Amino acid sequence: MTTILFNKPFNVLSQFTDSGSQGSPRKTLSDFIDLPGVYAAGRLDRDSEGLLILTDDGRLQARIANPRHKLAKTYWAQVEGIPDDRALQALRDGVVLKDGLTRPAKVQRMDEPIGLWPRNPPVRFRKSVPDCWIALTIREGKNRQVRRMTAAVGHPTLRLIRFAVGDWTLEGLAPGQWSYA
């Protein structure tokens, strides 16, 4: 069984080929990983960064990707504004989205992560609007869920990094790097 941890950079697709590109091809996993037979366990949107697990074990892939297993996924989100206690409590209680109520999340404000790499292109900075980092742990995987949750409580996500999936973390992995789990 092969399982690898990959720190997916911003603007990279979570697949090995780019079938939907119009014009110049977009970066894919094949630009970073040359291991036959491994596939992404779950997804991470092109505009999100961070931990992506790849494996050749179908059972492990299903356990990671299928929401019924409720595997915890922790994200670091840079959000617009400074969420107050009421906004954080709303995330903890579950947020109503167009596709239903989210499960309760663990959430807390945090300092900018130590050793955080710069994003290319950088997040837009506005002098008149402060921003803040939060750590958010969810146990489901609705499409673009973290971004939709933070927007629903009035704090749109500016930058999103998946830090952990279950017990696996990004520790020691620079963007574009991978290691065996």
Side-chain angles (χ1 to χ4, degrees):
M1 177 175 93
T2 302
T3 301
I4 66 169
L5 309 178
F6 175 57
N7 187 347
K8 186 189 89 61
F10 178 79
N11 219 12
V12 173
L13 298 175
S14 293
Q15 56 199 41
F16 282 95
T17 59
D18 181 11
S19 58
S21 179
Q22 303 289 336
S24 62
R26 299 172 290 187
K27 287 196 173 212
T28 66
L29 298 178
S30 62
D31 291 303
F32 302 91
I33 300 166
D34 186 19
L35 271 179
V38 296
Y39 299 94
R43 294 196 35 196
L44 197 53
D45 294 322
R46 191 175 79 159
D47 57 351
S48 298
E49 307 164 68
L51 186 60
L52 188 63
I53 299 172
L54 294 94
T55 183
D56 59 0
D57 180 344
R59 291 174 71 177
L60 177 60
Q61 191 174 22
R63 190 172 69 93
I64 293 168
N66 194 317
R68 83 167 173 256
H69 297 291
K70 300 179 182 141
L71 188 64
K73 295 175 180 81
T74 300
Y75 296 84
W76 294 337
Q78 182 182 20
V79 297
E80 198 171 88
I82 311 294
D84 60 16
D85 291 338
R86 192 178 67 200
L88 296 176
Q89 190 59 48
L91 294 168
R92 290 181 188 113
D93 293 340
V95 178
V96 177
L97 303 175
K98 287 182 182 178
D99 53 352
L101 180 67
T102 65
R103 291 185 181 134
K106 289 183 182 176
V107 64
Q108 64 186 22
R109 280 184 291 277
M110 63 182 279
D111 293 332
E112 180 176 311
I114 294 172
L116 183 64
W117 56 89
R119 195 185 84 174
N120 186 15
V123 171
R124 67 178 160 76
F125 175 75
R126 293 177 17 201
K127 288 182 189 176
S128 61
V129 180
D131 61 68
C132 170
W133 284 90
I134 61 172
L136 184 74
T137 301
I138 60 174
R139 293 184 174 272
E140 60 189 333
K142 297 175 187 268
N143 186 39
R144 299 182 70 78
Q145 180 174 339
V146 171
R147 291 178 188 280
R148 294 188 301 140
M149 288 175 73
T150 63
V153 298
H155 298 280
T157 296
L158 302 171
R159 184 175 183 188
L160 186 62
I161 300 167
R162 183 160 55 202
F163 173 73
V165 174
D167 292 331
W168 293 296
T169 72
L170 271 182
E171 290 293 327
L173 286 176
Q177 287 187 328
W178 63 269
S179 69
Y180 290 100

